[in-house]
Amino acid sequence: MGLVRSVCLFITFLSYLAISVHGQATARPGPGSGTRVGFYSTTCPTAETIVRNAVTAGFNSNPRIAPGILRMHFHDCFVLGCDGSILISGANTERTSRSNLNLRGFEVIDNAKTQLEAACPGVVSCADILALAARDSVVLTRGISWQVPTGRRDGRVSLASNANNLPGAGDSVAVQQQKFGAVNLSTRELVVLVGGHTIGQAGCGAFRNRLYNSTTGPADPAIDPTFLAQLQTQCPQNGDASVRVDLDTGSATTFDTSYYNNLSRGRAVLQSDQVLWSDPATRPIVQQLMSPSSTFNTEFARAMVRMSNIGVLTGANGEIRTVCSAIN
């Protein structure tokens, strides 16, 4: 487990999306991607239903698991690829890294896995469960649905040190471009995928420096003054750093384009979000995504299919874990 795969298989998944009359995005994998829609149609035909029901049950109990699972999938894919390694528990695993300490929804993935092992033992990977659960989380928050290519296998490596370079709350556009580019995602896909913050939250500690200790003065001048006062009330200078704040003020439970509108009004919580508006490389993209003719939902589905095929293990590589939190 100490040896990291020397070459990350950043598979370029050329998806072609068509929107059906029911509003669902249909994806067709490109050649050699190793995953395909309906991978479990004969070996475990109820797999997607079982995952969907588990996510729905978790969401009904706590709606905040939706952004938690979506974020978990992002963090899994950006570290050695979408191999479910974020789910492995234990000392010095990915989920113990600082970037992952506030992830939530692990119990939902575990619940789905338990049911799948009862229905189809040793068939459905934890990596696929997480990819499906991320899609279902978007749907439950009134976002678009899409077909998720499956067939991933689970990785055996999970090290906290590998999660040190995840996209961060203070990253500039240039740094974000570098991190997304390293996994073959474009600048436009960066802006689209970060739009998942429409249902996200962040702890005060991730952005409090913008409120009191900005390098340009006592507070970041990019923040709308009224919104600044609101954030300072929610996050006092010496208050609890773990207090959670919605990243899309006014529409935190609905998957929509409100997040981009907030960027244009100086109402971004994270520095990494606000710079998407201030940087000329990304501002035109934000303007397109916030427009009345926005294609955000369809672009998000397409980008998610691409992201979910980063570095996937297929065929004889990896394993199918019987418990998502432990290597077989």
Side-chain angles (χ1 to χ4, degrees):
M1 192 174 157
L3 295 177
V4 179
R5 295 195 304 273
S6 61
V7 177
C8 292
L9 303 176
F10 294 137
I11 297 172
T12 302
F13 183 84
L14 304 175
S15 63
Y16 301 88
L17 292 181
I19 306 305
S20 73
V21 293
H22 301 294
Q24 184 182 63
T26 304
R28 180 165 63 86
S33 66
T35 60
R36 60 181 173 83
V37 172
F39 183 84
Y40 299 112
S41 59
T42 57
T43 56
C44 191
T46 59
E48 294 201 24
T49 300
I50 290 172
V51 174
R52 184 181 306 113
N53 290 343
V55 176
T56 301
F59 180 81
N60 289 339
S61 175
N62 177 13
R64 299 314 307 173
I65 66 99
I69 290 173
L70 183 59
R71 183 170 178 240
M72 191 190 304
H73 184 43
F74 275 79
H75 285 209
D76 184 42
C77 292
F78 270 77
V79 178
L80 297 183
C82 311
D83 63 355
S85 55
I86 187 71
L87 302 168
I88 299 172
S89 63
N92 300 316
T93 56
E94 287 174 37
R95 62 195 282 183
T96 67
S97 74
R98 183 177 179 181
S99 299
N100 293 328
L101 289 178
N102 291 317
L103 289 180
R104 60 186 69 190
F106 290 103
E107 71 283 1
V108 173
I109 306 302
D110 290 340
N111 180 28
K113 181 59 172 174
T114 298
Q115 294 182 54
L116 285 165
E117 284 301 303
C120 318
V123 173
V124 182
S125 70
C126 298
D128 275 345
I129 294 171
L130 184 51
L132 292 166
R135 184 270 312 276
D136 296 337
S137 295
V138 171
V139 174
L140 286 167
T141 51
R142 289 178 275 179
I144 194 172
S145 181
W146 64 91
Q147 290 187 329
V148 178
T150 45
R152 300 166 191 78
R153 288 171 66 85
D154 298 321
R156 298 186 177 95
V157 175
S158 184
L159 298 172
S161 58
N162 288 338
N164 290 338
N165 201 38
L166 284 165
D171 287 351
S172 66
V173 167
V175 170
Q176 292 182 71
Q177 287 175 314
Q178 183 276 320
K179 291 178 179 179
F180 278 72
V183 291
N184 288 340
L185 294 173
S186 69
T187 297
R188 187 172 189 91
E189 288 169 323
L190 182 169
V191 179
V192 168
L193 288 169
V194 174
H197 284 173
T198 182
I199 56 170
Q201 289 186 319
C204 290
F207 61 88
R208 190 153 48 196
N209 63 308
R210 298 187 70 208
L211 312 183
Y212 303 100
N213 300 309
S214 172
T215 56
T216 56
D220 186 342
I223 306 176
D224 171 75
T226 302
F227 189 51
L228 173 63
Q230 177 183 326
L231 290 177
Q232 288 176 332
T233 298
Q234 293 175 284
C235 300
Q237 188 164 11
N238 297 311
D240 186 351
S242 66
V243 170
R244 310 293 287 175
V245 174
D246 293 333
L247 296 179
D248 185 7
T249 303
S251 184
T253 60
T254 303
F255 201 91
D256 57 19
T257 60
S258 171
Y259 161 81
Y260 297 111
N261 283 279
N262 276 330
L263 299 189
S264 72
R265 298 164 57 204
R267 297 174 71 84
V269 174
L270 302 179
Q271 176 70 19
S272 58
D273 286 350
Q274 191 60 60
V275 294
L276 298 179
W277 179 256
S278 60
D279 194 298
T282 49
R283 182 169 180 161
I285 303 172
V286 173
Q287 289 174 318
Q288 292 169 11
L289 295 173
M290 63 184 274
S291 71
S293 58
S294 174
T295 55
F296 168 60
N297 270 289
T298 56
E299 289 195 58
F300 187 84
R302 183 184 299 119
M304 284 293 288
V305 171
R306 290 243 311 139
M307 187 197 75
S308 70
N309 276 277
I310 294 170
V312 293
L313 300 172
T314 58
N317 297 313
E319 65 182 9
I320 303 297
R321 283 185 229 133
T322 54
V323 177
C324 289
S325 61
I327 298 170
N328 289 347

